Amino acid sequence: MNSASPLPSQPRLTVPLEVYYFDTDAGGVVHNIAYLRMVEIARSQLAAALGWSLEDMGRTGLVPVVARTEIDYLKPARLGDRLTASAELIRMEKVRFLIRFEIASATQPDLIFVRCIQTMVTVQLPGGRPQRVPTAWRDAYPHLIS
């Protein structure tokens, strides 16, 4: 993990997205797996913003692994919609951490399409042994430790 730059005061970010043909079914409605891809984009960008980039993961072998996904599909997004995916680190335990996501309309922020919480486990590859949540996160966000 790269801790050269200070972490943001709040462990959250918002990513702009757009719905493409490959995100939709024959009716032009976003299918469920596309929302999970959007969550993955937001999670990867959040990790990078918190000093844990994909490059760092590849170099060190320390990676977050999805242990659980809880997702609520509230309204259908459609082909061509402009969206935002927000991601926020909301809790940390010894080797697990939770991230909350919302996928909303970029033009009507109160229009929420999806809410999701993922439980992640920090592991060391190649063996997959659980490791502690990054020290920099624990130091920067002690109020999230449970």
Side-chain angles (χ1 to χ4, degrees):
M1 189 168 152
N2 180 5
S3 58
S5 59
L7 297 182
S9 60
Q10 298 297 319
R12 72 173 79 109
L13 64 68
T14 301
V15 177
L17 300 166
E18 186 172 345
V19 177
Y20 293 98
Y21 279 109
F22 58 81
D23 294 319
T24 64
D25 61 18
V29 174
V30 174
H31 53 80
N32 62 330
I33 198 72
Y35 289 118
L36 292 174
R37 183 184 55 79
M38 294 172 192
V39 163
E40 175 79 19
I41 290 167
R43 189 180 68 243
S44 296
Q45 290 191 20
L46 176 63
L50 299 180
W52 197 5
S53 70
L54 294 173
E55 180 182 277
D56 293 329
M57 291 176 205
R59 188 182 72 255
T60 65
L62 185 65
V63 298
V65 175
V66 177
R68 178 178 174 86
T69 298
E70 299 173 55
I71 190 164
D72 294 312
Y73 303 101
L74 305 171
K75 295 190 180 299
R78 300 189 180 277
L79 180 63
D81 282 352
R82 295 193 180 280
L83 309 175
T84 60
S86 63
E88 180 178 12
L89 178 65
I90 59 169
R91 190 169 89 211
M92 293 182 283
E93 298 171 4
K94 185 175 180 179
V95 298
R96 297 186 321 165
F97 58 95
L98 278 70
I99 301 176
R100 178 176 44 222
F101 303 91
E102 259 189 9
I103 298 174
S105 167
T107 58
Q108 301 174 50
D110 292 338
L111 178 55
I112 310 298
F113 299 108
V114 167
R115 286 196 175 105
C116 176
I117 293 180
Q118 285 189 325
T119 302
M120 309 296 296
V121 176
T122 307
V123 301
Q124 183 68 53
L125 296 178
R129 293 190 55 130
Q131 300 293 311
R132 289 182 67 81
V133 170
T135 303
W137 290 12
R138 292 191 316 269
D139 292 346
Y141 312 114
H143 61 287
L144 298 180
I145 296 171
S146 64

